[in-house]
Amino acid sequence: MSDDIHRLLDALTAAWNDGDAAAFAKLFTEDADYVTYFGARMEGRQAIEDSHRALFEGPLKGSRLGAPAAAPPLRKIRSLSPDVALVVTTGGSGLPDGTADPGRDSIMTFTAVREGDGWRFASFHNTRIGAP
């Protein structure tokens, strides 16, 4: 399970870095819930694809996901059942010029589920890492 979910996380990063909204969304279940760091909620794979297409063609064109700029790296996978896992991870993003911004470091929570053809994310929640 763990290796499959690590590959799923890596595929998510690769799809973002390629600016491929369809590949990004395909990693989520049809009815996935996706909550951004500022509280916007998307429901379903198509909404995730549409919103990310607009981002990848607009304000986040050329942005890159990677390790957090300042926060400690974290990738924790906890099995809740043979077909469900809780994933908590940190990451960061850089602008097209390669500049890493510690203000963009995030901690993310995913629910990964095993479907007939492999693992997908059923939920995602992103929170910026900051001082209390």
Side-chain angles (χ1 to χ4, degrees):
M1 167 194 290
S2 181
D3 289 344
D4 291 335
I5 295 172
H6 282 290
R7 283 191 291 276
L8 187 62
L9 288 164
D10 292 343
L12 191 78
T13 298
W16 181 289
N17 291 346
D18 290 342
D20 188 337
F24 186 85
K26 190 174 183 173
L27 302 170
F28 291 85
T29 61
E30 283 290 337
D31 61 349
D33 279 290
Y34 190 105
V35 179
T36 69
Y37 74 92
F38 55 85
R41 177 176 174 256
M42 289 156 261
E43 186 174 0
R45 184 184 294 157
Q46 190 62 55
I48 294 167
E49 181 176 345
D50 293 345
S51 65
H52 282 81
R53 179 169 290 107
L55 290 172
F56 295 156
E57 292 175 357
L60 295 180
K61 185 174 184 169
S63 64
R64 310 281 296 171
L65 295 184
L74 170 69
R75 197 180 254 197
K76 179 181 176 184
I77 299 169
R78 184 170 60 119
S79 175
L80 302 178
S81 77
D83 297 321
V84 180
L86 175 67
V87 181
V88 180
T89 186
T90 56
S93 61
L95 301 176
D97 67 3
T99 304
D101 179 359
R104 297 176 68 86
D105 286 356
S106 293
I107 187 162
M108 294 144 290
T109 305
F110 296 86
T111 306
V113 296
R114 187 187 336 245
E115 295 191 323
D117 60 347
W119 287 88
R120 285 199 169 75
F121 296 121
S123 71
F124 167 83
H125 187 252
N126 184 12
T127 303
R128 290 289 191 234
I129 297 172

